[in-house]
Amino acid sequence: MSSSRRPGPTVRVRVTETKGDASHEREDRLVTEEPLEIRLTWPGSPASRAWVTMRTPGHDFELAAGWAAHEGLVEPEPGAVRSVAYCTDEDLTPEQEFNVVTLTLSAPPLIDMSHRHTGTGGYGAGSACGVCGKDSISAVLDIPHAKPWDGELPSVDVVRRLPDQLRERQQVFSRTGGVHAAGLATADGELLVVREDVGRHNAVDKVTGARLLAGDPVAEAALVVSGRAGFELVQKAVAAGMGSLVAVGAPSSLAAHLAAEAGLALYGFTNGERTVRYA
């Protein structure tokens, strides 16, 4: 495989910008959006397709590992994932070389995946919602729960500072204005890892995957996200054992319900001056 074909997080385009009656051409940057296929294998089992999602290239291995942890396929602990690699099948086209990842688990998945598949090819694809394609409402609500967070939680003052701290590290957003971000923060507001992606759920997967593959604890005091707090983000925070979820936008009713049931502190409409706690 040639590294020259590896897609980057942004692409250059020529655009025509009009202000008032004046138009001019200039270069702009768009966030890259490409499919990523995740294949799973474990001792005694050949690799098979498990999930396809639209994502921003970069930190693909982290995305795959974090997705597996959030889906309850592995414990969110170091050692659960043996290795991650790009697929080297000879029949892949050049465009597919860096869009197929094989995740090797140390043991069989903790849950039976057969009832969670749709169609013949595994999960569906999308960049808007991490729970699309579930077979039923009961399947959506039947989510993995990590051990509840028993450490210190951030104070309200720390919570209000987190979105601005996250924004300062959103490099791809600064160039494109087209990606979401997620960050992991300690109770005193230190951001340990920040990831960006066109899909908000992918950004969270990358954060958890980064910790998992580095051998660091996945759970922390706060997960901060740049957009709204939908159900799928609360689900991932609960699955990873986070203490709180801090969002810039609003939560949904189901997100607030799940957070309350799971003991996750949930904040919405958060900025330097304000935050609203929902659970």
Side-chain angles (χ1 to χ4, degrees):
M1 293 185 295
S2 170
S3 61
S4 64
R5 286 195 291 267
R6 184 188 296 269
T10 66
V11 295
R12 293 186 176 93
V13 295
R14 297 295 299 178
V15 300
T16 301
E17 182 175 358
T18 301
K19 291 184 178 180
D21 297 327
S23 298
H24 71 281
E25 291 190 0
R26 64 175 176 85
E27 182 180 89
D28 201 355
R29 281 187 175 270
L30 296 179
V31 60
T32 307
E33 183 175 28
E34 293 195 358
L36 180 70
E37 176 179 324
I38 300 174
R39 299 179 182 180
L40 290 184
T41 183
W42 54 90
S45 176
S48 61
R49 185 173 109 169
W51 171 252
V52 178
T53 187
M54 301 304 294
R55 99 300 189 190
T56 299
H59 307 290
D60 293 332
F61 294 174
E62 296 174 355
L63 194 164
W67 170 81
H70 291 146
E71 287 292 317
L73 305 180
V74 300
E75 294 287 354
E77 298 175 354
V81 174
R82 178 175 293 180
S83 65
V84 195
Y86 287 110
C87 184
T88 57
D89 287 358
E90 293 183 358
D91 61 347
L92 292 179
T93 67
E95 292 76 17
Q96 294 173 320
E97 286 183 353
F98 294 103
N99 287 339
V100 181
V101 166
T102 299
L103 189 68
T104 301
L105 309 183
S106 299
L110 298 176
I111 60 173
D112 178 10
M113 297 180 62
S114 60
H115 72 286
R116 298 163 75 89
H117 289 184
T118 58
T120 60
Y123 292 77
S127 59
C129 170
V131 296
C132 294
K134 300 296 186 183
D135 294 333
S136 64
I137 294 297
S138 61
V140 170
L141 296 175
D142 183 19
I143 64 171
H145 287 68
K147 178 184 176 182
W149 177 255
D150 58 3
E152 184 181 357
L153 291 175
S155 67
V156 172
D157 288 341
V158 169
V159 166
R160 289 185 300 200
R161 292 200 303 267
L162 287 176
D164 286 340
Q165 293 175 222
L166 182 70
R167 178 65 183 85
E168 291 172 359
R169 293 175 58 176
Q170 291 178 241
Q171 298 180 0
V172 179
F173 181 84
S174 296
R175 286 181 282 169
T176 67
V179 290
H180 296 279
L184 192 65
T186 64
D188 60 7
E190 177 188 1
L191 280 176
L192 302 174
V193 58
V194 173
R195 294 291 184 263
E196 295 178 275
D197 198 278
V198 69
R200 59 173 59 87
H201 60 286
N202 290 340
V204 175
D205 287 341
K206 289 178 177 181
V207 166
T208 290
R211 300 287 286 179
L212 190 64
L213 295 182
D216 296 323
V218 169
E220 251 308 336
L223 177 67
V224 54
V225 295
S226 60
R228 64 181 179 83
F231 169 84
E232 75 279 6
L233 298 193
V234 171
Q235 176 259 316
K236 291 178 185 292
V238 171
M242 303 298 180
S244 60
L245 177 63
V246 179
V248 172
S252 68
S253 61
L254 193 56
H257 172 74
L258 175 58
E261 289 290 316
L264 177 78
L266 177 62
Y267 295 89
F269 295 109
T270 306
N271 56 45
E273 301 297 325
R274 176 192 184 213
T275 189
V276 179
R277 182 165 180 172
Y278 291 85

